[in-house]
Amino acid sequence: VQLQASGGGLVQPGGSLRLSCAASGSVFSINTMGWYRQAPGKQREWVADINSGGSANYVDSVKGRFTISRDNAKNTVYLQMNSLKPEDTAVYYCYFYGRTYGPTIPATYWGQGTPVTVSS
């Protein structure tokens, strides 16, 4: 199973970025998909998640600015980030909780990080 994240980069304060993360390989079912981030010198922080029915949750600091969505047919999760602030600078990691083919139990799978830098 692989999760390929993309869309990070350098953006000015107030700008927007859209992150994408596609799961591939022997994915059988996905319950929750989401994003964490880790800023330099800080612990990893949960940002947002979305379940298979489309119900989303956000950390307070991004509510009203970030929108998470998913395409179940493509096993892909998106994070639309608007009104970005310097404190949003971090490496963003995607994940999903679900099952792979075979006699496995549900588990959490992680993608590689994509860096986001908000600076003028």
Side-chain angles (χ1 to χ4, degrees), residues 34-118:
W35 296 89
Y36 274 75
R37 65 186 179 185
Q38 187 165 21
K42 295 187 177 182
Q43 291 187 330
R44 189 174 292 194
E45 172 191 43
W46 169 79
V47 176
D49 63 29
I50 184 169
N51 65 18
S52 56
S55 179
N57 300 285
Y58 302 91
V59 67
D60 286 347
S61 60
V62 309
K63 285 181 179 177
R65 300 189 298 121
F66 290 11
T67 301
I68 190 170
S69 60
R70 63 189 278 177
D71 184 330
N72 291 330
K74 296 181 179 179
N75 288 337
T76 299
V77 63
Y78 306 96
L79 187 66
Q80 178 67 44
M81 305 185 295
N82 298 329
S83 303
L84 282 161
K85 305 176 180 179
E87 50 264 43
D88 294 318
T89 295
V91 178
Y92 284 70
Y93 298 89
C94 61
Y95 70 95
F96 79 82
Y97 178 77
R99 301 180 68 108
T100 58
Y101 284 100
T104 62
I105 60 174
T108 300
Y109 298 85
W110 293 92
Q112 89 291 358
T114 185
V116 172
T117 302
V118 184

